[in-house]
Amino acid sequence: MKLLLVEDDFAMAQALQLALERRGFEVDRCANGTDALARLRHDPPALALLDLTIPGLDGLQVLHKARAEGLDTPIVVLTARAAVGDRVVGLNAGADDYLAKPFDLDELEARIRALLRRHGRDNDAPQRVGALSFERRSGAFYLEGQVLELTPREQALLKALFATPGHAVAKEKLFRVVFPMESEIQFEAIEVVAYRLRKKLVGSGVSLVTLRGLGYLLREDAPA
C-alpha cells in the first residue's frame, strides 16, 4: 500500500517514513508542493500525507488544485496549525482528515486505514505469497496456517519485502526499516537478519532471495 508523504522537514520526514514502513506501508517522499501535485497527477498513491507549510505551492494550494482537477486521492493534512479555524479551512479545501502535530503514530495509522477502507483502497483480507500470509489487523504472519514466530527485526524485514513480493528491495532501504535511528549498527547487520529469516522459511515454498547489487526479494518457489 503506497503512501505519499509531503514534508519539508528532513528529520521529521525520515522518521515518519521509517515508522510507517515498519507498519507495512510503502512510502514515497517529496518536500515541496509542486512535486506533490505532480505525483498526485501522474503517479497517484493510495493516500497522501500533506504538510501545509511547504515550499513552492503550499499545502492549501495543492489541495485546491488537486480537487479542482478531480484528483480523488485521500489526503490527510499533518500540520502544526491546530486552531479550529485552520482545521475548517483545510477540510473545506478538500482534505479528508486533519491531524495536528505532534500526533500519536497509532492514531495516525488508524486514521490512514480508516480512510483507505472508506475509499475502497484497503483490503483486510490477508496478503499471501505462497503458503505465507500476512494479516494486517493483527500484524501477524502465518505459514501454512500457523503463526510464524519472528523477532521484531525479522518482522520488520518481512513486512518490507511483503509490500512488493517478487520485486527487489534495496538493502539500504531495508536497513533503515529494520534498524531505524540506530547509527551504531553496522550495515552488514541486515544480512544477519536476512539469514535468520531465510532459515525460518526453508521448506515452505517461499524464498528470500539475494540479488547481488540490488537487495532482497520475496518470491514463491516454482513447483518441482
Side-chain angles (χ1 to χ4, degrees):
M1 191 66 64
K2 184 173 72 174
L3 309 181
L4 174 64
L5 173 60
V6 188
E7 171 61 69
D8 66 326
D9 183 314
F10 178 80
M12 177 175 291
Q14 183 180 49
L16 187 52
Q17 178 182 14
L18 289 172
L20 290 169
E21 287 177 341
R22 287 180 69 89
R23 292 166 185 248
F25 296 103
E26 180 184 355
V27 182
D28 286 339
R29 270 170 39 196
C30 64
N32 65 75
T34 304
D35 287 347
L37 189 58
R39 301 275 188 97
L40 291 171
R41 286 169 174 159
H42 305 300
D43 186 22
L47 180 143
L49 302 170
L50 177 67
D51 186 33
L52 291 185
T53 53
I54 49 177
L57 299 172
D58 66 25
L60 287 177
Q61 289 174 309
V62 171
L63 278 168
H64 280 298
K65 288 179 178 293
R67 298 317 188 208
E69 294 177 18
L71 304 179
D72 63 353
T73 298
I75 296 176
V76 179
V77 167
L78 304 177
T79 180
R81 303 179 189 176
V84 172
D86 291 321
R87 291 200 298 272
V88 170
V89 169
L91 293 169
N92 285 340
D96 295 273
D97 204 349
Y98 194 110
L99 200 55
K101 301 175 183 177
F103 48 79
D104 180 82
L105 280 171
D106 289 335
E107 181 181 3
L108 174 60
E109 181 183 8
R111 291 189 183 214
I112 289 172
R113 295 202 182 278
L115 270 177
L116 291 172
R117 287 193 298 272
R118 191 183 312 159
H119 287 259
R121 301 183 184 216
D122 191 25
N123 181 3
D124 283 332
Q127 294 175 271
R128 295 186 181 277
V129 177
L132 184 64
S133 64
F134 174 56
E135 189 177 81
R136 288 194 187 96
R137 285 188 180 277
S138 66
F141 283 94
Y142 293 84
L143 187 57
E144 297 179 338
Q146 301 296 314
V147 174
L148 183 61
E149 298 292 341
L150 300 170
T151 67
R153 286 173 176 169
E154 292 166 354
Q155 178 100 352
L157 176 60
L158 190 52
K159 276 187 179 181
L161 294 170
F162 228 77
T164 55
H167 297 276
V169 183
K171 278 188 180 181
E172 291 79 5
K173 177 177 179 179
L174 294 172
F175 182 84
R176 294 196 305 269
V177 171
V178 176
F179 301 100
M181 316 305 284
E182 296 184 50
S183 58
E184 296 182 1
I185 301 293
Q186 294 187 354
F187 183 66
E188 292 74 16
I190 192 66
E191 297 175 7
V192 176
V193 180
Y195 171 76
R196 292 173 178 167
L197 178 58
R198 185 180 288 115
K199 287 181 65 176
K200 293 184 177 182
L201 296 175
V202 169
S204 69
V206 179
S207 296
L208 195 168
V209 180
T210 302
L211 298 178
R212 193 170 299 278
L214 293 175
Y216 297 103
L217 65 81
L218 191 71
R219 73 179 181 194
E220 182 178 2
D221 297 336

